[in-house]
Amino acid sequence: SFIDARDPMASMIVTFPGGKRVDAEYHGFTIRTDQPPQAGGEGSAPQPFDLFLASIATCAGIYVKGYCDTREIPTAGLGLEMHVERDESRRVAKLVIEIRLPEGFPEKHREGVVRSAELCSVKKHIFNPPTFEIRTV
């Protein structure tokens, strides 16, 4: 079933607070972006594409954390690192997510924690992307 895009909970409102900053209001949060100084911005916030990459890494992270929490595996020292590999045209060609397991992490859960990261809903949307409709109103 589709969510009505006019529902305020399903809408993201974008504003332009000055300079090269572009903000998004969503579910009561303000998500701030900016451009780096070399692109005319102030570098006061991540660039929009940085947020896209962060959404992938943090999504994988919440699934890994959930896997551990469900099994009562301590998460102190647990972390993820995502490496961004680009092709000759500077497009992202590959994302490598390394799950940094803490010392003493149960060996029998190594594969399970990798499978949990694979469940990331952001990644699933990349593989099965939504359609885009852009219009003026």
Side-chain angles (χ1 to χ4, degrees), residues 1 6 11 17 20 34 45 52-53 69 73 77 79 84 88 90 100 102 105 108 111 120-121 125 128:
S1 72
R6 294 167 297 202
S11 295
K20 297 285 186 174
D34 197 358
F52 168 70
L53 293 173
D69 289 350
I73 300 169
V84 180
E88 54 280 344
R90 302 287 303 142
R100 306 282 182 181
F105 190 87
K108 69 179 184 178
E111 288 302 315
C120 166
S121 59
H125 277 79
N128 187 18

Side-chain angles (χ1 to χ4, degrees), residues 44-56:
S44 66
Q47 297 176 64
F49 197 78
D50 296 339
L51 296 179
F52 168 70
L53 293 173
S55 72
I56 296 166

Side-chain angles (χ1 to χ4, degrees), residues 14-35:
V14 174
T15 59
F16 306 99
K20 297 285 186 174
R21 292 176 292 145
V22 179
D23 293 350
E25 301 288 331
Y26 193 63
H27 290 285
F29 294 100
T30 300
I31 304 163
R32 301 184 193 290
T33 71
D34 197 358
Q35 294 297 306

Side-chain angles (χ1 to χ4, degrees), residues 38-121:
Q38 62 268 29
E42 299 171 16
S44 66
Q47 297 176 64
F49 197 78
D50 296 339
L51 296 179
F52 168 70
L53 293 173
S55 72
I56 296 166
T58 56
C59 183
I62 196 63
Y63 278 88
V64 167
K65 174 94 169 61
Y67 178 92
C68 293
D69 289 350
T70 299
R71 289 155 185 82
E72 298 181 352
I73 300 169
T75 58
L78 179 68
L80 279 80
E81 185 172 337
M82 186 170 78
H83 302 278
V84 180
E85 297 179 12
R86 296 181 182 270
D87 63 19
E88 54 280 344
S89 66
R90 302 287 303 142
R91 288 180 46 87
V92 173
K94 185 177 186 180
L95 298 172
V96 178
I97 297 174
E98 295 178 344
I99 303 168
R100 306 282 182 181
L101 300 176
E103 195 170 318
F105 190 87
E107 187 67 33
K108 69 179 184 178
H109 289 290
R110 289 176 82 91
E111 288 302 315
V113 80
V114 168
R115 283 193 311 274
S116 71
E118 294 281 350
L119 296 173
C120 166
S121 59

